[in-house]
């Protein structure tokens, strides 16, 4: 037996840039980024894809984008700005993916041109996927417009669409070339979407960063009252922790390292059981509450620590219980655990808490105790 | 403006393993590889996808695979072995991709399980693509069964399918976890497929390795007569050069470095103009001949050097001219050059020869001289 060994590293670099009103003419952050990117000899185009939730609430946007790119020699703006409905539905609709691919083809977007997407986490997942598979990857720019996409999903390296009724069945690991977090977009979020992404900050704080958890406690009321400065600080710190987790671990999840998914096994199941009527962030809040109660019953965190977690979630306005948890004598939830194990490749790995700011991985769940946790949550 | 900098490297490692009769019980190379791969705690499955060109000529294969995996505790063979027609058609048929994804779903192939594909370059391109997008990438093993896929396409990192009538419009960069080059499969190739892949060896020899070019000259007749030992040596050296090129350059083509594509601009156009009736390798042979004549007219290689290239191609039995080159007053070929430029992002880059074993990149083509090259080729 002879063999040839192949071995290489692929470097990925991108910045998450915090800005405001990125398409106002005096804000040159975005245009300067584009001008300085890549080989100056290539003629570059830029195609915009916009979440309808953004388009409807920021009606000036198409005009602003056109003005922003007027008189730019180095870059050609594709005049057609595509708008698609946002939210989980967009990930279920094969026609949206097809239409984006058609636009990439029709407007001659090549591997050196840009596809910029403005929208929530769901919208960025499908546009990121289209950008990753067209021509084996065009240059993709993410402009997240929700709290969750600015503090978690939009700053990461994954994309995906739902297929065969399975969440993210199709997708790739494909880092964007840049992320622009524009705080102005967040102002038009419903209270629900303003809130829901905060659960991802609580998640990462609980398993990694006590100081940040305490900061969240101290600023929960202000966030609930839509204090912008406080919210933006939360987003920055959460994004930073998510970004660090990716680079310090196994970014493309090639081995068996776990992503940051405290509270997520139950959250995924809840999203399904409610037919995606609850948001990912809302489901994560409930999942965090559930696994925190379980961690306490396992005597890994104290009653006082548990109370602090529940209080934080409630202060922010999160529901911490959903009837679907108990549905079918809790057998549906039990199936969720099995599916999670299946998804991981046979070995169950669940993150629990051993302290505020400190997670631990376990490979077994005592489901009787988990059922008790559901009952406790119901009356909490 | 504040920003968070993200930067990481993703390591990829895989071996190209040369073996013979890999599914005979006494050959434990493959099973040992599978057993030692990844985390022992994961329950792993393996799904086989087979090119009909292989299945029809190696009828013992399904049975041999089943015997090979009988009594293996660590691994579960998916009993259904999927067979699809090979050749370029498979890359045009969305139903094949869909059926592979369904099988991955139905049989519960997860990110720790394997999808092994046995087939020619076209078959490996579509199966590699399916494996790359399902669950954001399942573990993919390539078992190339043609000369071209063993000496070039199968040892690389690209996959793809044709879409919107465009070759490889959809695809990703996704290294396999291993490549098994089993010489036994090559014995049943038609003379045409035995020959066609040799052009990729000539391509890489001409731009990188004079000694290998001379070796090819010395062994051309033997290869034409289907001397196996000589053919296997050619495949090994060509695979080695292709593997080295990938790791020494820009494996995912994120920057503007060029892949190994001497002779390919005309080849791509020829494949289209003939509606894929000529094989990729055959088109590459003509593309090499054309750009070699042009390199000579540009006084970059001597008449003697050109003659050696043409002689080598002819000795192997390649056609070096196709009427489609001159079609429509050579305007179709001219369009091919424009499309290639378009594909590259606006800056044309063509590899030419300055000596046997030495390529050079140029950014302009004198098309009058290129037309002359076509005419010379016609009468050569
Ligand atoms: N790729 C990843 O790593 C990752 C990580 C976590 C979550 N996710 C995914 O993200 C999705 C959830 O994202 P989300 O919480 O952003 O919700 P979402 O994308 O579902 O958006 C929620 C709603 O907000 C609207 N909207 C978006 N921006 C707005 C704005 N500026 N003003 C007003 N309305 C606006 C949308 O149109 C939509 O109706 C889920 O699909 C989840 O699976 C992905
Ligand atoms: N991914 C890459 O980097 C890359 C590089 C170069 C070429 N390619 C692609 O590879 C394809 C060409 O590959 P190819 O030359 O292997 O041809 P092919 O895949 O088209 O196969 C040619 C024929 O041989 C048959 N066949 C396969 N194995 C056989 C065997 N052992 N015995 C008998 N018949 C067999 C097939 O069924 C098919 O009919 C093109 O689509 C080309 O674009 C990809
Ligand atoms: Zn999440
Ligand atoms: Zn080729």
């Amino acid at each position: 037996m002879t063999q040839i060994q192949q071995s290489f590293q692929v470097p990925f670099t991108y910045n998450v840039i915090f800005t405001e009103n990125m398409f106002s003419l005096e804000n040159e952050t975005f245009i300067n980024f584009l001008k300085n990117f890549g080989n100056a000899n290539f003629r570059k185009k830029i195609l915009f894809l916009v979440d309808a939730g953004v388009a409807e609430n920021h009606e000036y946007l198409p005009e602003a984008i056109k003005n922003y790119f007027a008189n730019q020699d180095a870059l050609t703006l594709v005049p057609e700005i595509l708008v698609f409905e946002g939210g989980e539905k967009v990930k279920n609709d094969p026609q949206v993916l097809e239409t984006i691919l058609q636009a990439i083809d029709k407007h001659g977007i090549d591997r050196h041109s840009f596809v910029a997407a403005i929208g929530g986490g769901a919208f960025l997942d499908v546009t990121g996927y289209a950008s990753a598979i067209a021509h084996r990857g065009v240059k993709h720019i993410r402009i997240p417009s929700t709290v969750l996409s600015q503090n978690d999903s939009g700053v990461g390296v994954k994309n995906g669409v739902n297929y065969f009724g399975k969440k993210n069945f199709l997708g790739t690991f494909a880092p964007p070339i840049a992320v622009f977090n524009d705080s102005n977009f967040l102002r038009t979020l419903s209270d629900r979407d303003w809130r829901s992404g905060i659960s991802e900050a609580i998640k990462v704080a609980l398993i990694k960063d006590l100081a940040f958890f305490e900061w969240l406690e101290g600023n929960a009321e202000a966030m609930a009252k839509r204090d912008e400065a406080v919210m933006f600080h939360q987003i920055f710190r959460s994004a930073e922790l998510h970004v660090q987790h990716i680079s310090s671990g196994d970014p493309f999840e090639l081995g068996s390292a776990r992503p940051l998914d405290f509270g997520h096994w139950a959250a995924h199941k809840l999203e399904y059981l409610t037919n995606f009527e609850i948001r990912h962030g809302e489901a994560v809040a409930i999942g965090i509450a559930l696994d925190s109660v379980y961690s306490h019953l396992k005597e890994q965190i104290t009653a006082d620590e548990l109370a602090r977690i529940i209080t934080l979630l409630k202060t922010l306005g999160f529901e911490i219980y959903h009837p679907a948890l108990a549905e079918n004598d809790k057998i549906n939830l039990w199936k969720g655990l099995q599916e999670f194990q299946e998804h991981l490749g046979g070995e169950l790995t669940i993150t629990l808490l051993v302290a505020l700011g400190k997670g631990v991985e376990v490979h077994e769940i005592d489901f009787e105790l988990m059922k008790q946790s559901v009952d406790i949550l119901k009356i909490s």
Side-chain angles (χ1 to χ4, degrees), chain A residues 31 40 44 46 66 97 149 153 159 164-166 194 206 265 285 290 292 333 338:
Chain A
I31 195 75
K44 294 164 197 157
I46 183 163
K66 275 172 203 167
L97 180 62
S149 55
S153 83
N159 58 52
F164 302 135
K166 303 226 160 100
W194 173 272
L206 275 175
W265 73 269
L290 182 65
S292 298
L333 190 66
Q338 287 178 305

Side-chain angles (χ1 to χ4, degrees), chain A residues 56-295:
Chain A
E56 281 157 21
N57 289 289
H58 300 261
E59 289 181 351
Y60 61 88
L61 199 59
E63 210 44 40
I65 292 174
K66 275 172 203 167
N67 289 336
Y68 196 73
F69 286 97
N71 314 315
Q72 294 296 347
D73 299 333
L75 268 155
T76 311
L77 172 69
V78 172
E80 183 188 9
I81 292 180
L82 275 77
V83 177
F84 301 96
E85 211 180 332
E88 195 68 29
K89 282 183 299 298
V90 80
K91 292 176 67 174
N92 289 319
D93 184 354
Q95 194 51 51
V96 171
L97 180 62
E98 180 75 12
T99 308
I100 298 171
L101 293 172
Q102 277 167 359
I104 289 173
D105 181 31
K106 174 172 144 198
H107 298 296
I109 301 295
D110 56 45
R111 292 178 47 73
H112 302 286
S113 286
F114 307 103
V115 171
I118 311 178
F123 190 81
L124 297 183
D125 274 354
V126 58
T127 51
Y129 179 59
S131 305
I133 60 176
H135 300 301
R136 301 196 181 105
V138 299
K139 303 292 179 226
H140 183 51
I141 296 166
R142 297 213 194 113
I143 306 174
S145 66
T146 62
V147 172
L148 187 134
S149 55
Q150 289 198 0
N151 81 354
D152 178 357
S153 83
V155 306
V157 299
K158 299 190 217 179
N159 58 52
V161 295
N162 308 334
Y163 209 65
F164 302 135
K166 303 226 160 100
K167 186 148 167 142
N168 300 324
F169 183 84
L170 299 180
T172 71
F173 291 89
I177 57 160
V179 181
F180 287 84
N181 272 352
D182 185 335
S183 52
N184 183 48
F185 288 123
L186 304 181
R187 301 197 164 106
T188 57
L189 288 173
S190 65
D191 283 346
R192 195 175 171 187
D193 284 306
W194 173 272
R195 176 190 310 113
S196 78
I198 307 174
S199 61
E200 301 283 11
I202 300 175
K203 166 202 76 182
V204 66
L206 275 175
I207 57 181
K208 292 210 165 205
D209 188 340
L210 173 62
F212 185 39
F213 181 80
E214 291 180 334
W215 183 94
L216 288 166
E217 286 181 304
N219 292 278
E221 264 182 73
M223 271 189 285
K225 288 187 183 133
R226 298 192 72 136
D227 180 318
E228 293 185 351
V230 166
M231 188 61 141
F232 301 162
H233 178 84
Q234 175 271 108
I235 289 172
F236 185 86
R237 181 61 186 148
S238 174
E240 198 170 42
L241 287 166
H242 281 97
V243 161
Q244 281 166 8
H245 180 81
I246 292 167
S247 53
S248 66
D250 174 12
F252 287 7
E253 299 173 20
L254 296 170
S256 48
R258 305 283 320 123
L260 270 181
D261 60 3
F262 175 56
H264 274 58
W265 73 269
H268 288 311
K269 191 64 191 176
L270 264 179
E271 289 182 80
Y272 265 100
L273 291 175
T274 61
N275 202 17
F276 294 97
E277 266 152 35
I278 64 173
R279 294 267 196 275
H280 178 72
E282 293 168 338
V284 169
I286 296 170
I288 289 172
L290 182 65
D291 286 350
S292 298
V293 174
Y294 181 89
S295 298

